[in-house]
Amino acid sequence: MMSALRQLGIFLGCVWLIGTTSWSASPFTEDLLLDQLWSEFQAKSVKERPKIGLVLGGGGARGLAHIGVLKVFQEEGIPVDLVVGTSVGALIGALYSAGVPLWKIEALAQDIGWQHLTDYSRTSLVRLLVAQRLLSSERMEQYIARTIGEKRFDELMIPFACVAADLKTGEKIIFREGPVAPAVRASATIPGVFEPVEYRHRFLVDGGIVDNLPTDVAALLGADIIVVAAVQGDFTQNQPATVLEVIHQAISIQGEQIVRQKLQQADLVIRPQVGSINVTELWRGRECITAGILATRSMLPEIRRLLVLKSLGPMLLSVHSTVASR
């Protein structure tokens, strides 16, 4: 059983974090309290603590910042119990949930290019404009299958879901079962440039059209704490110059209202500073990853407080009663 002294320490720590007391601690004392409570959180089993859901939004090349977010989570021992992604967030989320080591995902990001994922090229764009023939994203599916194997959702190491849009009905399609590779491909297939993915009599395209930050899906999967990695661009800094860039920016503008609503459902939002990076600039992967690392590290105290409060907050009354009776 917990000693009375330890119970008292947790009680005071919870009170300090919640801010319901006039007691003022020095920054040094506050750090010690948070460290103690964080250790308590990390010592809990998965069943004893809240389930943490990480939502990875879409944003083209900017989404490579998600790798930096995941790196800091892993280094700091912040658990991820489920992942939900849209578009590039689905791609990174699928690799991570399948157990691909982050160092390998990071290495893949350094070499990745549109030619590896699609048949996007200057020649194909001419064909698109002249012959009105959409490009193919089939290489993306092949790339994912080569990297994680022919895995199904129920074979992943971490529960994962991704979102696509049905071009015929406008429905949001949530993938939680079946083969992973075609689902991720559908989630990241930009309409107007790439052929829709035919799946069970549906014509599926980029999930960013209907939900670029599917926080509600994370809640549906049982997340108690929802953390969002948002990589939206700054429209004022981007001057789209290609068909792909124009269409992607139009999708982002269209979904901005939905994004604002979804952010309100998040417990915490991490915002890597990648607004000036264009969606097509995959060669700036290192810059995006670094931005993800910096944004997440700057929020570590807030992340720890959130997880500690969600985990230990319900203990406050019971601990107070126990300490008061002694």
Side-chain angles (χ1 to χ4, degrees):
M1 289 183 65
M2 231 184 252
S3 68
L5 183 60
R6 188 180 177 195
Q7 288 179 323
L8 179 60
I10 292 177
F11 168 69
L12 291 176
C14 288
V15 170
W16 162 70
L17 285 172
I18 295 172
T20 57
T21 177
S22 60
W23 172 69
S24 178
S26 69
F28 177 73
T29 305
E30 291 178 355
D31 289 341
L32 287 178
L33 281 170
L34 183 55
D35 287 345
Q36 172 62 32
L37 293 171
W38 179 243
S39 296
E40 293 282 347
F41 172 84
Q42 290 185 306
K44 289 179 175 291
S45 68
V46 176
K47 294 182 179 180
E48 293 175 320
R49 61 168 175 77
K51 183 181 292 186
I52 301 167
L54 182 60
V55 178
L56 305 178
R62 295 189 293 267
L64 296 177
H66 296 324
I67 300 172
V69 174
L70 288 166
K71 282 189 68 174
V72 176
F73 271 46
Q74 186 176 86
E75 291 168 0
E76 298 297 327
I78 300 170
V80 176
D81 300 307
L82 62 93
V83 180
V84 180
T86 296
S87 196
V88 66
L91 175 59
I92 301 299
L95 297 178
Y96 180 74
S97 299
V100 178
L102 277 174
W103 65 263
K104 186 173 182 180
I105 298 177
E106 187 173 4
L108 290 170
Q110 301 305 305
D111 300 326
I112 201 170
W114 288 104
Q115 71 276 11
H116 294 115
L117 302 178
T118 68
D119 62 354
Y120 177 83
S121 66
R122 289 184 179 180
T123 302
S124 61
L125 282 177
V126 171
R127 186 174 74 244
L128 169 67
L129 296 173
V130 175
Q132 296 185 359
R133 179 181 172 187
L134 294 173
L135 312 184
S136 173
S137 61
E138 187 175 356
R139 290 180 186 173
M140 185 185 305
E141 184 174 336
Q142 296 168 350
Y143 173 86
I144 298 166
R146 283 197 308 271
T147 306
I148 70 173
E150 301 288 344
K151 280 188 168 61
R152 300 175 64 84
F153 279 82
D154 59 356
E155 297 174 321
L156 297 174
M157 294 180 63
I158 299 174
F160 169 70
C162 62
V163 171
D166 187 330
L167 199 58
K168 293 174 64 178
T169 66
E171 293 175 89
K172 178 169 75 174
I173 306 301
I174 302 171
F175 283 97
R176 298 175 55 190
E177 58 183 23
V180 175
V184 173
R185 174 191 172 192
S187 181
T189 293
I190 301 174
V193 177
F194 301 109
E195 298 171 343
V197 177
E198 291 189 48
Y199 186 83
R200 296 182 180 176
H201 308 294
R202 293 182 180 273
F203 290 87
L204 304 178
V205 293
D206 195 303
I209 291 179
V210 290
D211 196 348
N212 206 37
L213 287 174
T215 49
D216 58 330
V217 179
L220 179 68
L221 294 181
D224 301 303
I225 300 173
I226 299 174
V227 179
V228 167
V231 290
Q232 292 100 323
D234 184 345
F235 303 137
T236 64
Q237 296 188 48
N238 292 322
Q239 183 61 46
T242 68
V243 173
L244 182 61
E245 292 170 2
V246 169
I247 291 178
H248 201 288
Q249 183 142 318
I251 292 173
S252 299
I253 293 171
Q254 178 187 13
E256 191 63 24
Q257 183 62 37
I258 299 175
V259 166
R260 283 196 290 268
Q261 293 173 358
K262 291 308 180 75
L263 286 174
Q264 294 176 4
Q265 299 174 3
D267 294 289
L268 186 138
V269 181
I270 300 171
R271 300 178 185 272
Q273 297 302 301
V274 290
S276 62
I277 296 174
N278 213 303
V279 294
T280 61
E281 295 177 328
L282 291 174
W283 58 88
R284 298 177 69 178
R286 168 48 56 191
E287 187 178 344
C288 293
I289 293 171
T290 299
I293 291 172
L294 293 175
T296 309
R297 287 213 166 277
S298 70
M299 296 190 69
L300 278 177
E302 188 175 347
I303 294 171
R304 288 173 176 167
R305 284 189 183 93
L306 171 67
L307 300 187
V308 163
L309 278 176
K310 288 281 188 175
S311 179
L312 300 179
M315 296 173 55
L316 192 57
L317 291 177
S318 61
V319 171
H320 175 269
S321 299
T322 304
V323 173
S325 64
R326 290 180 180 270

